[in-house]
Amino acid sequence: MRRMALFTSVQGVKDIFLLLLLIAFFSMLLTYHIGLYLPHPPVGHREPQENHVFKFHEKRIIRKTDTGKEVFLQKKQSIQKVPAASVPEKLNILDKIFKLEERILLVSRFPALVRQEGGVDNSTRILEELLHHLDYGVVYGNKNGPSNIEKLSMIWDLKGHNSSTDRLKDLHKTNNIQRLQRIISEPSYLCNVQKIQNAFSTVKVSDRTICSLPPHSGIKQGEWQHKSELDFVHLHRDGNITIQKHPSTDKLTLDPRVLWRVSPGVLMLDGAPFSLRLTALLTSLSPLRAYLHSTCQVFTINQSGQTLRQDLTSLWHVRQSIQQNFEEEVARGWWNHMMRGLVSALLTAELEGWMSGVDNPCSCSRCFQSLHLDVVFTNEFQPILLKAQHSNLSQMPKDIVDDVVMLTSFKDPVYENVVKAARKIQPQKMHCRYPVPSCLQDSDLVYILDTRREAMVPVDFLRLYPALSNEYNQLMDYFLHLSFTHPRGARFTNVTSPSCHLTAEVHPLITETERVYQPFSERRQHDLKRVPNKPIFMLRKLDAEIPEEKFNDEDLSPSLGKSSPNCSTDLQDLPLLSQITLTPPSLQLTPEFDPHHTTYKAQTDYNTIVFSVTARTKHCNTTARFHTSDGDESSMTYTLGLGENSVKIHVVMKSNREPKFINTYLILIWRQERGIPQFRPSLRVCHLTQDCELKYSPRESCGLTAVTKYRSWRLYLKHRDQLPVCHQSDYRQASWFVPCEDCKNPNSCHWRSAMWQPEVCQSKHLNDLDISTCFRGRKLLFIGDSTNRGIMHYILEKINGSITEWDKTHNLKLYKSINGNQTDLSYTYYPQFWLPTNHRPAFDKAIYQLIKWTQPLTDDNRTVLVVGGVHWLASQHLDLIVKALKRENLSHIKLIIKGLGSGFHQHVNGVHYLPEADLQKVLLREEELERHGKKLGFEFIKTFKMTMARFKDFLQGKCACHFHKLAEMKNTGLSRPIYHVEGEINAVYSQMIINSICRT
């Protein structure tokens, strides 16, 4: 018994000891797993030095701006949902991304080198101005001059400079990809592109396009004769392109540089084949990142191969033309074929660069290159790449230059956005052929950072790749197969540490990363599945001759124009019109029309607000066009604003390679104001809420009604002066008070003395001195359409005494250091109506740019943001403003909404039209906008009723929505002109905004 008790005692101690060991083991395991999820800096992290762009705090990252201000970016929380086994790997990726972003931002602070043969010219000055706007310093050099890349952010080589001699580092940039230029200059490249196009063509084999090179491009007698729709497309040695129905006996044609035999023929529009010249921009070649500009050039070619004309237009216009000639489904298919064909062509160039063995395909991973691509299409809408060549900056239109520089030089941080996608970075999904532990390279992470950075830039470049399109998966598999099976592909299999990847190798990684930013869209960014009828222009900057409201609900496709039925071939008639017809007939030209007289005047009464003009040319080889060389032709309908309206009719050569004005006719039409010219205090007091011709509210009375309690306007003013000053809330019941001889006759009123106000209070307008004093130390930011720009110009004139420079900007404009260097104004145009909906810059990006360009800003009422427009503003825009301001630590600034307005109520070419029923909905939307805005802290300036009641009092502009214009004043003694803002209604709501600002 004693031995049994001893055994039992010893056994119990052992059991307790084992239990304690088990508890200790599981405690250690639990502690380890908890530790994995606790906040801690990345592996290998060291405290940055004081001069770093970023620095870590315990749970957040702070970016130091150039002014020393610290901006909080984001907590690093994206790793918390990652499985425990992958946490160390994810932390390592985050650490790499952070360090690479830090290096990129440090490099971007160095100046840019601009190289130009023959010194500084206009294109160089434009480039310098753009780089300065993006906070780059600029230094100049020549081919043999110093170019210490260590102290430069990028090199811009202009007019043939070659930067290949520079020892470029991995994070520096230059605007030349030398190996790409060499590859696309070879004729064999074009045929290789065609072979891959054929591999993915949906047409039958017998109808595919055949590409051949000399000396094998000769056509045997009788060959292909059974093909009724066969076309022969030649790229000649001089760079010209011809399209013919049969083999030519011409010596030049018999020895082309490249020949395509196209079956079932080349696509035609309006009875003639055409080609497109596209502008592409590659900001990375391996992996590929490429863009296509919305501006393009259309070449119309006759059957003998002669170019009829070249028009600078837009891809949207071309798509609309195809849709009008065929149908929507066909136009969508054409678009998708073109996008895929261009990506395939660029991937072919990338692959040939890798397999050529001439140079390192991974050198200068951040180099970029702009290209001109000439493309025709088969009758099956398949693209054929006829020519590819690099494009010089000096030869591009300015709007494309702006976009190229903007896209390639944008340098704002994107770390906080990219971290969100870090959980999608899965190296194991990459098609990696190399014997290394991890296929993911630093260049891949730089690619992801730069892709996100470029996505923030509001430009008119459509992104070709990367894009969320399942169509590209098969294409990438094909190129991956080519890279492995190519005879020279084995030369890279033994490389132990490649510094970059082919696009096809990292396509799964890129796609998963991009899907984070576009979770609701599985198709390409540029897939135009829903095609509203939008205008032909997609440019970001339109000059004053093209109204910003040029978006329509009708076909605007230009035709070949109309000459007179019995047109002349006499060269003396080349610049002449044969006829100008105005409708209504009451509009009479003064003097009577004479083809040799180019300036005319006409007058009309107040009630004529729409007119049409038709023009015909004398010569058979000319056409009449309105506004621009590639605008609408033959006939146009316009709205007539109060005062002077100008219409230009251009005589344009049909057969010129570039559309060229050879003569311009000008018509000045004066629309009279209504009412009496002289004011008298004895006039009666009348009241106006809405015009009977265009009602916006069925509940309100319409037309002028008498205010019987005041016997005269003088007594009304005496009573008004005793009322308290109005606050914004009082204007809910405001209306127009008008002095008239008879309230039943609007033509008996003195409309310039009309007042917009409630009956219970008086509107007070500050004088110029008080306004100037009030705006000292303030910064005003305006975002909106041209009506908001009119408010900015009014305020600019009030605080500065005059306006010495102005423009109808459709982009971003700064007026710095005005009002004795004590006030700054900035304005950005939004929305860009002429762009299709899914290509307009995002609203929050526009806000971000406006804030960035106006900094530094204070988070108080000295910073004022004014947002507004005619019809576009909605509650979601206000939410985005508040969110953006909170992100920028500007939650306490002054916020003002300029309400909706009258406009788009007339049927005219190129302008959206709203019927009366829809205008009533706009009133309801303004009321909802006001309620939502007040919840978010905005002050609301009601303008819809104010402008609708006087909807005919608009000034020049096709939208019928402008209540202001800038008129040049006589300026004696000064070398530059000065301008004055006209428009009584614009002055009323501008003063209301001034009062809202100056009350605080």
Side-chain angles (χ1 to χ4, degrees):
M1 292 290 295
R2 192 177 298 172
R3 293 177 63 186
M4 180 65 70
L6 179 61
F7 176 79
T8 303
S9 176
V10 171
Q11 187 66 37
V13 171
K14 287 182 178 180
D15 290 341
I16 293 172
F17 180 74
L18 288 173
L19 179 62
L20 290 175
L21 282 176
L22 286 172
I23 292 172
F25 174 79
F26 283 109
S27 296
M28 290 175 64
L29 186 63
L30 179 62
T31 303
Y32 171 74
H33 279 277
I34 291 174
L36 291 177
Y37 289 86
L38 290 176
H40 57 283
V43 175
H45 166 70
R46 296 180 181 179
E47 188 65 27
Q49 299 298 318
E50 200 62 33
N51 60 349
H52 279 195
V53 178
F54 288 113
K55 61 181 181 180
F56 274 115
H57 276 215
E58 182 179 359
K59 294 184 180 180
R60 54 188 173 181
I61 302 171
I62 295 176
R63 180 188 174 218
K64 294 183 70 177
T65 64
D66 294 339
T67 59
K69 182 179 178 180
E70 296 182 344
V71 180
F72 293 96
L73 295 182
Q74 180 180 333
K75 295 181 181 180
K76 297 181 65 176
Q77 298 173 337
S78 59
I79 64 170
Q80 295 181 0
K81 296 182 181 180
V82 179
S86 63
V87 166
E89 182 182 2
K90 295 300 178 185
L91 281 174
N92 186 46
I93 292 174
L94 288 176
D95 186 41
K96 284 186 176 181
I97 293 174
F98 174 81
K99 291 178 179 177
L100 287 169
E101 174 75 334
E102 187 180 40
R103 287 171 56 199
I104 290 171
L105 295 177
L106 286 173
V107 169
S108 69
R109 297 172 71 177
F110 290 121
L113 173 66
V114 177
R115 290 173 170 169
Q116 172 95 23
E117 290 282 2
V120 177
D121 62 7
N122 186 51
S123 62
T124 313
R125 284 189 288 268
I126 291 173
L127 175 60
E128 180 183 13
E129 179 182 353
L130 292 169
L131 290 172
H132 280 321
H133 276 311
L134 293 168
D135 299 327
Y136 284 91
V138 176
V139 295
Y140 290 99
N142 53 43
K143 188 172 183 180
N144 300 318
S147 59
N148 182 8
I149 192 66
E150 296 288 349
K151 298 298 181 182
L152 296 172
S153 56
M154 63 176 65
I155 298 176
W156 287 88
D157 284 324
L158 305 181
K159 290 188 177 179
H161 271 308
N162 189 330
S163 63
S164 60
T165 56
D166 294 298
R167 300 185 64 183
L168 296 169
K169 303 299 181 181
D170 55 345
L171 296 180
H172 296 84
K173 292 186 175 185
T174 186
N175 66 321
N176 286 323
I177 304 179
Q178 292 300 316
R179 67 182 184 280
L180 177 65
Q181 294 184 24
R182 187 187 67 254
I183 291 166
I184 64 175
S185 64
E186 294 294 330
S188 58
Y189 164 70
L190 299 173
C191 284
N192 289 338
V193 170
Q194 190 58 51
K195 288 178 184 177
I196 293 177
Q197 295 280 25
N198 291 342
F200 286 90
S201 175
T202 57
V203 301
K204 57 185 179 181
V205 175
S206 60
D207 285 339
R208 289 180 180 172
T209 300
I210 304 301
C211 177
S212 56
L213 305 173
H216 307 293
S217 59
I219 307 298
K220 295 180 181 179
Q221 189 69 23
E223 187 178 5
W224 298 70
Q225 286 186 353
H226 65 285
K227 294 289 186 180
S228 59
E229 294 185 343
L230 177 65
D231 281 327
F232 294 88
V233 182
H234 306 85
L235 171 63
H236 301 290
R237 297 188 182 277
D238 59 1
N240 288 331
I241 296 168
T242 59
I243 302 175
Q244 297 172 308
K245 281 293 182 183
H246 50 78
S248 174
T249 58
D250 183 84
K251 183 178 179 181
L252 181 65
T253 306
L254 289 174
D255 189 23
R257 196 161 182 250
V258 187
L259 168 66
W260 291 264
R261 282 163 282 188
V262 183
S263 176
V266 173
L267 182 65
M268 295 193 294
L269 287 179
D270 300 322
F274 72 99
S275 67
L276 296 183
R277 174 162 293 175
L278 307 171
T279 300
L281 177 65
L282 278 69
T283 57
S284 174
L285 186 56
S286 292
L288 178 68
R289 187 170 56 249
Y291 301 85
L292 181 65
H293 203 271
S294 61
T295 301
C296 68
Q297 201 168 9
V298 180
F299 294 72
T300 306
I301 306 171
N302 65 17
Q303 291 301 306
S304 64
Q306 178 186 4
T307 300
L308 292 177
R309 69 177 187 183
Q310 305 170 14
D311 284 346
L312 189 66
T313 179
S314 75
L315 286 171
W316 192 254
H317 162 219
V318 177
R319 194 186 192 287
Q320 286 289 85
S321 297
I322 291 177
Q323 181 175 332
Q324 293 299 323
N325 280 267
F326 300 97
E327 57 186 20
E328 159 58 19
E329 194 67 29
V330 171
R332 188 184 308 132
W334 166 81
W335 180 269
N336 292 336
H337 288 322
M338 182 176 69
M339 296 297 104
R340 186 176 64 182
L342 294 176
V343 171
S344 175
L346 297 174
L347 291 174
T348 302
E350 178 197 22
L351 182 64
E352 291 193 8
W354 276 69
M355 300 310 171
S356 65
V358 175
D359 52 11
N360 180 7
C362 297
S363 62
C364 192
S365 62
R366 300 184 82 208
C367 292
F368 54 94
Q369 179 74 63
S370 55
L371 301 173
H372 284 324
L373 305 175
D374 285 11
V375 183
V376 297
F377 301 90
T378 72
N379 282 338
E380 299 292 341
F381 304 97
Q382 300 292 331
I384 304 173
L385 180 62
L386 302 183
K387 187 165 54 174
Q389 59 186 10
H390 75 277
S391 53
N392 292 326
L393 217 62
S394 58
Q395 299 172 348
M396 295 181 188
K398 186 177 182 299
D399 65 294
I400 300 183
V401 173
D402 291 354
D403 286 350
V404 169
V405 177
M406 191 76 172
L407 192 63
T408 56
S409 306
F410 193 72
K411 58 179 180 179
D412 277 19
V414 293
Y415 175 81
E416 59 180 85
N417 290 317
V418 173
V419 165
K420 297 175 184 177
R423 61 188 178 87
K424 293 291 185 181
I425 299 177
Q426 302 178 42
Q428 65 272 18
K429 286 192 174 184
M430 298 167 61
H431 302 291
C432 189
R433 71 176 91 184
Y434 309 105
V436 291
S438 175
C439 188
L440 190 69
Q441 297 295 311
D442 285 357
S443 61
D444 301 318
L445 301 178
V446 170
Y447 176 92
I448 292 171
L449 286 164
D450 283 344
T451 302
R452 193 67 204 139
R453 198 181 328 275
E454 291 170 9
M456 297 172 60
V457 188
V459 291
D460 290 343
F461 273 109
L462 317 177
R463 194 163 72 182
L464 288 170
Y465 187 85
L468 292 177
S469 173
N470 293 330
E471 293 182 11
Y472 287 167
N473 294 337
Q474 185 181 2
L475 189 66
M476 294 298 171
D477 289 343
Y478 183 75
F479 274 94
L480 190 66
H481 171 75
L482 290 178
S483 69
F484 277 92
T485 58
H486 194 282
R488 294 182 180 177
R491 69 183 290 264
F492 290 104
T493 57
N494 296 322
V495 178
T496 56
S497 57
S499 58
C500 68
H501 291 102
L502 279 166
T503 308
E505 293 177 312
V506 291
H507 175 68
L509 170 70
I510 293 171
T511 301
E512 288 301 315
T513 305
E514 285 298 303
R515 208 178 298 280
V516 176
Y517 306 118
Q518 302 182 48
F520 306 109
S521 175
E522 290 298 321
R523 69 179 185 267
R524 282 177 300 207
Q525 170 190 351
H526 50 266
D527 180 12
L528 306 180
K529 185 173 182 180
R530 296 180 180 178
V531 189
N533 292 324
K534 295 296 178 185
I536 64 176
F537 294 102
M538 295 181 69
L539 304 179
R540 288 187 310 130
K541 297 181 179 178
L542 307 182
D543 59 32
E545 289 188 318
I546 305 175
E548 65 269 22
E549 296 80 12
K550 192 175 176 71
F551 67 104
N552 65 7
D553 278 341
E554 51 191 283
D555 179 30
L556 291 181
S557 303
S559 64
L560 285 176
K562 295 181 180 179
S563 303
S564 300
N566 300 317
C567 57
S568 166
T569 57
D570 189 340
L571 290 179
Q572 292 184 354
D573 293 333
L574 203 61
L576 302 180
L577 291 178
S578 63
Q579 179 185 358
I580 299 177
T581 304
L582 301 182
T583 305
S586 58
L587 278 169
Q588 296 293 321
L589 293 178
T590 304
E592 290 186 4
F593 176 73
D594 178 348
H596 299 279
H597 192 86
T598 58
T599 302
Y600 298 89
K601 293 184 179 181
Q603 288 191 355
T604 188
D605 59 23
Y606 172 80
N607 289 315
T608 302
I609 59 176
V610 176
F611 86 104
S612 298
V613 56
T614 301
R616 293 183 180 273
T617 57
K618 270 199 167 189
H619 200 275
C620 301
N621 199 33
T622 59
T623 183
R625 301 188 184 182
F626 295 90
H627 289 304
T628 63
S629 64
D630 56 355
D632 303 296
E633 302 173 9
S634 299
S635 181
M636 284 289 287
T637 302
Y638 296 89
T639 54
L640 282 170
L642 291 177
E644 187 177 86
N645 301 261
S646 63
V647 176
K648 291 181 179 179
I649 307 172
H650 302 294
V651 180
V652 181
M653 289 287 293
K654 288 181 182 178
S655 58
N656 267 37
R657 292 180 63 85
E658 295 286 345
K660 182 180 180 182
F661 296 157
I662 57 176
N663 199 6
T664 298
Y665 290 74
L666 175 66
I667 306 176
L668 300 174
I669 303 177
W670 185 269
R671 179 173 160 236
Q672 298 174 353
E673 297 185 14
R674 64 174 167 175
I676 58 177
Q678 298 297 326
F679 169 77
R680 300 191 308 273
S682 59
L683 293 172
R684 299 185 62 183
V685 181
C686 303
H687 176 270
L688 176 66
T689 302
Q690 64 178 335
D691 194 300
C692 294
E693 292 186 31
L694 192 62
K695 295 181 180 180
Y696 61 82
S697 175
R699 300 187 303 270
E700 303 277 357
S701 61
C702 69
L704 286 167
T705 57
V707 184
T708 56
K709 61 181 176 180
Y710 307 113
R711 288 179 296 171
S712 68
W713 187 259
R714 179 179 59 82
L715 293 176
Y716 166 71
L717 292 181
K718 183 177 180 181
H719 168 77
R720 173 183 172 274
D721 290 342
Q722 297 173 357
L723 297 175
V725 176
C726 295
H727 293 84
Q728 291 304 329
S729 58
D730 298 324
Y731 284 97
R732 292 189 62 84
Q733 303 301 322
S735 57
W736 287 104
F737 289 84
V738 192
C740 304
E741 294 175 349
D742 180 2
C743 292
K744 295 180 181 180
N745 181 12
N747 292 324
S748 70
C749 304
H750 190 263
W751 288 95
R752 287 183 177 269
S753 299
M755 296 180 177
W756 173 261
Q757 63 181 45
E759 290 193 44
V760 297
C761 59
Q762 62 169 315
S763 299
K764 281 287 188 180
H765 291 180
L766 299 178
N767 60 43
D768 293 1
L769 180 60
D770 290 338
I771 294 173
S772 179
T773 302
C774 163
F775 278 76
R776 289 174 186 166
R778 295 185 188 270
K779 292 191 176 184
L780 276 69
L781 293 75
F782 295 84
I783 181 169
D785 58 26
S786 54
T787 59
N788 217 27
R789 187 176 57 212
I791 299 171
M792 181 197 66
H793 282 141
Y794 180 90
I795 293 176
L796 176 62
E797 182 178 9
K798 288 295 180 182
I799 63 179
N800 208 43
S802 64
I803 299 178
T804 56
E805 91 173 91
W806 74 281
D807 57 25
K808 293 182 69 173
T809 180
H810 295 74
N811 200 12
L812 195 146
K813 182 72 175 179
L814 299 176
Y815 296 92
K816 297 184 73 68
S817 303
I818 57 177
N819 194 20
N821 295 331
Q822 298 184 75
T823 306
D824 288 351
L825 299 181
S826 63
Y827 165 82
T828 190
Y829 192 95
Y830 190 90
Q832 295 179 358
F833 295 109
W834 55 94
L835 293 176
T837 304
N838 57 342
H839 290 308
R840 294 175 188 168
F843 184 66
D844 52 351
K845 291 182 183 179
I847 299 169
Y848 175 80
Q849 286 293 310
L850 183 64
I851 292 172
K852 177 182 179 295
W853 285 37
T854 321
Q855 286 179 342
L857 300 171
T858 58
D859 187 23
D860 53 34
N861 61 16
R862 289 175 295 170
T863 301
V864 183
L865 176 65
V866 182
V867 60
V870 184
H871 293 160
W872 63 271
L873 190 62
S875 297
Q876 61 264 28
H877 295 108
L878 307 185
D879 295 331
L880 288 171
I881 289 174
V882 171
K883 183 178 179 181
L885 293 175
K886 185 176 181 181
R887 185 177 66 242
E888 299 296 325
N889 294 323
L890 295 171
S891 299
H892 301 94
I893 68 172
K894 180 77 173 180
L895 300 173
I896 299 174
I897 301 170
K898 179 242 146 196
L900 308 182
S902 169
F904 308 104
H905 44 69
Q906 300 299 316
H907 279 292
V908 294
N909 293 88
V911 178
H912 176 65
Y913 169 70
L914 282 181
E916 187 173 311
D918 288 344
L919 289 171
Q920 295 173 6
K921 296 176 184 177
V922 176
L923 172 62
L924 298 177
R925 203 166 91 229
E926 188 190 53
E927 293 173 351
E928 170 58 30
L929 194 65
E930 181 181 13
R931 286 193 294 269
H932 191 70
K934 287 183 176 179
K935 289 180 183 178
L936 299 177
F938 288 82
E939 285 203 27
F940 196 88
I941 309 298
K942 296 178 70 68
T943 53
F944 183 72
K945 291 182 178 181
M946 177 197 307
T947 54
M948 279 296 296
R950 298 177 62 179
F951 78 96
K952 288 186 178 181
D953 290 349
F954 62 89
L955 302 176
Q956 185 175 14
K958 295 175 72 174
C959 65
C961 65
H962 293 148
F963 293 92
H964 73 279
K965 70 176 181 180
L966 271 79
E968 185 173 345
M969 308 296 291
K970 291 183 179 180
N971 185 10
T972 57
L974 295 178
S975 58
R976 56 183 178 176
I978 60 173
Y979 302 92
H980 168 63
V981 183
E982 297 182 349
E984 297 88 10
I985 297 176
N986 177 75
V988 171
Y989 52 69
S990 296
Q991 284 283 354
M992 292 169 68
I993 288 176
I994 291 172
N995 289 342
S996 177
I997 295 171
C998 294
R999 277 200 314 268
T1000 56

